[in-house]
Amino acid sequence: MKLIRIILLLAIVNTNLFAQQEKTDAKLTKMLTELTKGFNGDVGIYVKSLKTGKIASINADSIFPTASMVKVPITCGIFNKIEKGELDYHAQLTYKDSLLYAGEDILGSFKSGEKIWLSKVLMLMITTSDNTASLWSQSLAGTGTAINELMEQNGLKYTRVNSRTPGRQANQKQYGWGQTTPREMATLLTLIREGKMINPAASERIYRNLIRTYFDHEALSQIPPYVQAASKSGAVNAARSEVVLVNAPHGDYVFCIATNNQKDTSWQSDNEGYVLIQS
């Protein structure tokens, strides 16, 4: 049985229980362990039913590269500035060529001097994982330093922005743009879902962007299109990851799957990391 469907099945079964503090689901943990056997690289998984509190995990507190999942902490950093009155969600910004991060980004196709709303920059960062929009947003949020302080304030000890952040060069060399653990990234989405990131209004706005992602061919492909899911994926050569919070009919559940040091560094759809996340 596929990994995502196992998670969904166990989430449905466990809705017969009353809400409780975190307790390990031994059956699901065993299934996940079997599914990850033989994977050529490091794997971390964290699954939690938000209705029952039951969890399953494999290396859930190990640190992994975020790749583009770092854009969730970045967007939180922007809304923290908005809450403080230092940024306006509806402000019109001016794009400059110096902001360009070479690639296939939509924002990167703009001409210097063109205008764009901050709200659209944030939308592009999350929904199409636009790197130019993301690095611009990171700067507007007060750099990785301010974003990391916000993560710390919310009890996330290992979720950090490394790139372009003073004092984090060694971490960047090891993990790239950002780092997190499967448990912490799932917790971050849970804080947003429960209206506890910045404030309820900010959490709601962040969540609305997270349910509109363009990339839906890994874990999201296993979730029916009529079931709402908030998500963010990430990928670099030797690491693939995805965090998803599903608004399932029988109760919300969240999971994060992350890999690192993969032997398979290809960018084809059958990459071992992609297959694991999709399975």
Side-chain angles (χ1 to χ4, degrees), residues 106-234:
I106 293 173
L107 188 57
S109 67
F110 275 41
K111 294 179 180 178
S112 192
E114 285 194 76
K115 306 292 185 180
I116 184 169
W117 304 109
L118 175 58
S119 58
K120 287 188 177 181
V121 173
L122 296 179
M123 178 274 294
L124 289 171
M125 173 171 63
I126 295 297
T127 60
T128 66
S129 209
D130 191 297
N131 286 325
T132 299
S134 303
L135 287 169
W136 193 4
S137 295
Q138 180 175 319
S139 177
L140 290 170
T143 76
T145 300
I147 297 165
N148 292 343
E149 289 174 357
L150 179 63
M151 295 299 102
E152 180 72 28
Q153 290 165 13
N154 282 275
L156 305 176
K157 299 193 298 180
Y158 305 109
T159 302
R160 297 290 184 266
V161 178
N162 295 328
S163 179
R164 306 187 184 192
T165 304
R168 300 205 58 87
Q169 291 84 355
N171 296 79
Q172 182 180 1
K173 185 176 181 180
Q174 184 174 4
Y175 298 109
W177 192 346
Q179 63 184 64
T180 192
T181 69
R183 186 190 305 271
E184 285 201 354
M185 187 53 64
T187 299
L188 178 55
L189 252 67
T190 303
L191 288 171
I192 295 167
R193 172 70 176 98
E194 296 178 345
K196 296 175 181 177
M197 176 50 63
I198 317 298
N199 57 39
S203 293
E204 179 181 315
R205 183 64 264 173
I206 295 169
Y207 201 82
R208 286 182 182 277
N209 281 346
L210 288 168
I211 64 174
R212 294 167 178 159
T213 185
Y214 170 78
F215 298 100
D216 59 2
H217 44 279
E218 272 85 55
L220 289 183
S221 70
Q222 303 303 307
I223 298 169
Y226 47 81
V227 175
Q228 181 173 275
S231 71
K232 189 74 194 76
S233 60

Side-chain angles (χ1 to χ4, degrees), residues 25-174:
D25 186 317
K27 182 178 180 181
L28 179 54
T29 300
K30 183 179 179 180
M31 290 178 174
L32 297 179
T33 301
E34 288 297 319
L35 280 170
T36 56
K37 274 186 178 178
F39 184 81
N40 294 298
D42 304 326
V43 181
I45 301 176
Y46 179 78
V47 186
K48 182 175 183 178
S49 166
L50 301 189
K51 184 170 183 178
T52 70
K54 298 196 79 173
I55 71 160
S57 64
I58 298 173
N59 300 322
D61 297 311
S62 296
I63 298 175
F64 289 84
T66 59
S68 285
M69 288 197 304
V70 76
K71 294 163 188 178
V72 181
I74 291 173
T75 199
C76 292
I78 287 284
F79 278 94
N80 194 39
K81 286 283 188 179
I82 292 171
E83 168 64 15
K84 293 178 178 179
E86 298 172 18
L87 287 175
D88 181 355
Y89 182 66
H90 301 289
Q92 191 175 59
L93 307 178
T94 303
Y95 176 77
K96 298 178 181 179
D97 284 341
S98 59
L99 296 166
L100 175 65
Y101 186 89
E104 298 181 3
D105 294 340
I106 293 173
L107 188 57
S109 67
F110 275 41
K111 294 179 180 178
S112 192
E114 285 194 76
K115 306 292 185 180
I116 184 169
W117 304 109
L118 175 58
S119 58
K120 287 188 177 181
V121 173
L122 296 179
M123 178 274 294
L124 289 171
M125 173 171 63
I126 295 297
T127 60
T128 66
S129 209
D130 191 297
N131 286 325
T132 299
S134 303
L135 287 169
W136 193 4
S137 295
Q138 180 175 319
S139 177
L140 290 170
T143 76
T145 300
I147 297 165
N148 292 343
E149 289 174 357
L150 179 63
M151 295 299 102
E152 180 72 28
Q153 290 165 13
N154 282 275
L156 305 176
K157 299 193 298 180
Y158 305 109
T159 302
R160 297 290 184 266
V161 178
N162 295 328
S163 179
R164 306 187 184 192
T165 304
R168 300 205 58 87
Q169 291 84 355
N171 296 79
Q172 182 180 1
K173 185 176 181 180
Q174 184 174 4

Side-chain angles (χ1 to χ4, degrees), residues 3-13 28 47 222-224 227 246 248-251 253:
L3 188 152
I4 306 301
R5 292 178 182 174
I6 290 173
I7 293 171
L8 176 58
L9 176 62
L10 268 292
I12 292 172
V13 170
L28 179 54
V47 186
Q222 303 303 307
I223 298 169
V227 175
V246 183
H250 298 280
Y253 65 94

